[in-house]
């Protein structure tokens, strides 16, 4: 049975499903789909903590499904811009898990992860799967993955 790591770029999935479909991603349906493909040994959801009650409920729901929720504080800069990015954390966790897993499932449309996927495949022989909203997922990420799964109505609420 393949060992699977799931890494979720929560902000990216939230905004791409909202912008692409005006709907929310169905993490429970996703979990059920992936759990039929092997043993989920790592499941991390990377989110930004704004101290918002709705977000806390959502994070609690993710934990109930089986995700380990990793939070980073939301930073509002003095110029009005904001920072809240998990790219380095997701990359480090993927590389740390590489020798324990057969498959990496990444939920993100962010092209910054293309090099990570190529490294996971070439150096660690991991099968790489990306779930993303087709029209909002970077072509470089799709091309770097062994498999690209379009988020569609089956994975939306």
């Amino acid at each position: 049975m393949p060992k699977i790591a799931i890494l979720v770029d929560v902000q990216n999935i939230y905004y791409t499903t909202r912008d692409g479909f005006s709907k929310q991603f169905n993490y429970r349906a996703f979990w059920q789909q992936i759990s039929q493909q092997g043993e989920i040994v790592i499941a991390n959801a990377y989110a930004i903590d704004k101290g918002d009650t709705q977000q806390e409920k959502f994070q609690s729901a993710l934990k109930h499904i089986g995700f380990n929720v990793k939070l980073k504080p939301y930073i509002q800069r003095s110029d009005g811009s904001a920072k809240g990015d998990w790219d380095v954390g997701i990359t480090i966790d993927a590389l740390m898990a590489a020798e324990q897993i057969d498959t990496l499932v990444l939920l993100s449309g962010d092209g910054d992860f293309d090099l990570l996927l190529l490294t996971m495949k070439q150096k660690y022989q991991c099968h790489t799967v990306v779930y993303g909203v087709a029209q909002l997922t970077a072509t470089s990420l799709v091309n770097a993955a062994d498999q690209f799964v379009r988020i569609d109505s089956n994975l939306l609420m």
Side-chain angles (χ1 to χ4, degrees):
M1 181 175 266
K3 295 189 182 313
I4 301 170
I6 301 170
L7 305 180
V8 182
D9 183 349
V10 171
Q11 305 309 114
N12 183 280
I13 294 300
Y14 171 78
Y15 287 110
T16 58
T17 56
R18 184 193 72 182
D19 294 350
F21 301 105
S22 300
K23 295 191 178 199
Q24 293 181 345
F25 187 73
N26 187 334
Y27 286 91
R28 188 170 305 283
F30 167 77
W31 186 277
Q32 290 169 345
Q33 194 176 94
I34 298 300
S35 65
Q36 294 173 5
Q37 299 171 24
E39 178 188 0
I40 299 170
V41 294
I42 296 168
N44 292 339
Y46 303 84
I48 303 305
D49 184 12
K50 293 184 180 179
D52 176 279
T53 306
Q54 278 298 100
Q55 276 191 333
E56 289 172 4
K57 287 180 185 175
F58 169 69
Q59 292 158 6
S60 180
L62 286 176
K63 289 175 188 173
H64 184 72
I65 292 168
F67 287 96
N68 173 37
V69 178
K70 294 191 170 196
L71 298 173
K72 188 179 271 194
Y74 176 77
I75 299 169
Q76 183 76 42
R77 296 184 180 125
S78 58
D79 68 0
S81 64
K83 176 148 178 51
D85 185 310
W86 267 106
D87 291 7
V88 173
I90 291 170
T91 299
I92 289 171
D93 285 353
L95 293 170
M96 296 288 285
E99 293 181 358
Q100 313 166 47
I101 62 171
D102 303 301
T103 302
L104 172 68
V105 178
L106 175 68
L107 273 77
S108 182
D110 189 338
D112 289 343
F113 292 117
D114 58 2
L115 185 57
L116 169 64
L117 296 187
L118 293 171
T119 301
M120 294 294 287
K121 291 187 326 185
Q122 292 168 359
K123 184 169 182 179
Y124 300 102
Q125 292 73 51
C126 283
H127 180 71
T128 59
V129 182
V130 169
Y131 278 72
V133 175
Q135 67 272 28
L136 298 172
T137 299
T139 302
S140 64
L141 186 63
V142 173
N143 292 340
D146 290 315
Q147 181 182 357
F148 175 69
V149 179
R150 294 169 182 261
I151 293 173
D152 62 17
S153 59
N154 295 331
L155 292 173
L156 297 170
M157 299 187 342

